[in-house]
Amino acid sequence: MQEKLTFMSDGLELSAVLHVPDSRKPGQRLPAFIVLHGFVGSKDESHAEIQARMMEEFGYAALRFDFRCCGESQGERGQVRCFDQVADAKNALTFLAQREEIEPSRIGVVGHSFGAAVATYAAGVDSRFACVISSCGWGDGERKFRGQHPTPEAWERFTGLLEKGRKHRQETGESMWISRFDAVPIPEPLRRNLSPKAIMEIPVETAISMYNFRADDVVGDISPRPSLFFHTANDSITPTEQSIRLFEKAGQPAELMLVTGTSHFPLSKDDAPRTKSMIKGWLDKFFPTA
């Protein structure tokens, strides 16, 4: 069962879809996941929707939603700030915990890419999240961007855009907009995995927000709640070392899974049978439905 709904976050109405397994019995309260989408992406036709459907298939309820300024949610389109997204995740948990279908003490958070960084940070600062699954996430914005712009020329071009954007803001009071791929390069063959509702241009302030965002600083506070850092090996979008470092900084019980043979979208059609089984095995051990 899927129900389209909305909830409030800092005065903004956010668009969401609640997944509840058909097997739920009347009066039963289920463990659940908040599902966070990727960089200026969408809850719909995306890796977030795949994750939500997967959780429903496994017997969990799942709430996928559009961050403010994205998708069908309110807020100036594209004006994304990392700590606003953390607030959205926390407000989503507050909303979901009030639903009659949900066991409020057993709500985890799962995110992909940008959403994984937000999920990790949110779980680090809010103990109400019962567990976290980070899929191809990152923990240090500056180090992540250095990996995404690895040559001296590419780094100079990227940081030059940030500086130009700062000056533009100071001189005009308005944002300078750039292609999302100038901030986060994505190889052409992998762009088909983006939601058709994803935003293609961002203000420089969004990239600066990501540059300064460090889930590394709070990941150790998730323990003793369980965490899974799931990443594709040799990821061509978000450097794999980001999840390795998060795992090194996390307290137990934490687990790191690196998947070869695919890049950045581990639940895409060809890889899902294998990668879903790996995630299901972790859930059965550390956050079972029963």
Side-chain angles (χ1 to χ4, degrees), residues 183-254:
V184 179
I186 298 180
E188 193 73 39
L190 293 180
R191 294 182 186 183
R192 66 178 182 272
N193 291 289
L194 296 176
S195 168
K197 298 181 180 180
I199 295 168
M200 291 297 127
E201 288 192 333
I202 62 165
V204 167
E205 291 84 2
T206 291
I208 293 172
S209 169
M210 296 166 69
Y211 186 100
N212 294 324
F213 192 63
R214 288 178 50 88
D216 274 5
D217 291 343
V218 300
V219 66
D221 296 325
I222 297 173
S223 177
R225 292 165 289 147
S227 53
L228 170 62
F229 302 97
F230 196 88
H231 212 115
T232 57
N234 301 313
D235 195 315
S236 60
I237 299 177
T238 300
T240 306
E241 64 85 19
Q242 288 287 305
S243 283
I244 296 172
R245 187 67 61 87
L246 281 166
F247 169 71
E248 290 173 345
K249 289 177 174 289
Q252 291 299 311

Side-chain angles (χ1 to χ4, degrees), residues 32 34 93 96-97 102-109 128-131 287:
I34 306 291
L93 186 150
L96 187 61
I102 308 303
E103 174 54 56
S105 65
R106 302 196 68 222
I107 300 175
V109 59
R128 294 179 301 161
F129 289 104
C131 74
F287 196 67

Side-chain angles (χ1 to χ4, degrees), residues 41-152:
S42 169
K43 69 182 184 306
D44 302 318
E45 301 176 71
S46 64
H47 222 64
E49 181 170 352
I50 294 172
Q51 287 178 324
R53 291 181 181 275
M54 175 184 71
M55 291 303 180
E56 180 184 7
E57 176 187 327
F58 290 167
Y60 302 86
L63 182 75
R64 57 181 164 99
F65 70 94
D66 290 322
F67 285 128
R68 69 182 76 180
C69 306
C70 296
E72 299 173 319
S73 289
Q74 290 183 342
E76 185 181 349
R77 192 165 172 83
Q79 289 284 1
V80 167
R81 305 292 184 271
C82 293
F83 287 106
D84 289 343
Q85 322 310 106
V86 172
D88 290 345
K90 295 168 67 175
N91 289 326
L93 186 150
T94 299
F95 168 77
L96 187 61
Q98 298 170 354
R99 296 280 303 200
E100 65 177 4
E101 305 96 332
I102 308 303
E103 174 54 56
S105 65
R106 302 196 68 222
I107 300 175
V109 59
V110 55
H112 178 68
S113 196
F114 176 93
V118 174
T120 302
Y121 199 102
V125 298
D126 191 332
S127 61
R128 294 179 301 161
F129 289 104
C131 74
V132 60
I133 298 176
S134 165
S135 168
C136 300
W138 48 275
D140 185 307
E142 179 182 356
R143 201 175 72 246
K144 172 192 79 80
F145 277 131
R146 286 187 178 274
Q148 292 171 327
H149 305 274
T151 67

Side-chain angles (χ1 to χ4, degrees), residues 269-287:
K269 185 177 180 180
D270 290 343
D271 300 291
R274 176 173 59 121
T275 52
K276 279 185 178 182
S277 67
M278 296 172 71
I279 295 169
K280 178 67 161 55
W282 183 86
L283 286 167
D284 288 346
K285 172 69 175 179
F286 293 104
F287 196 67

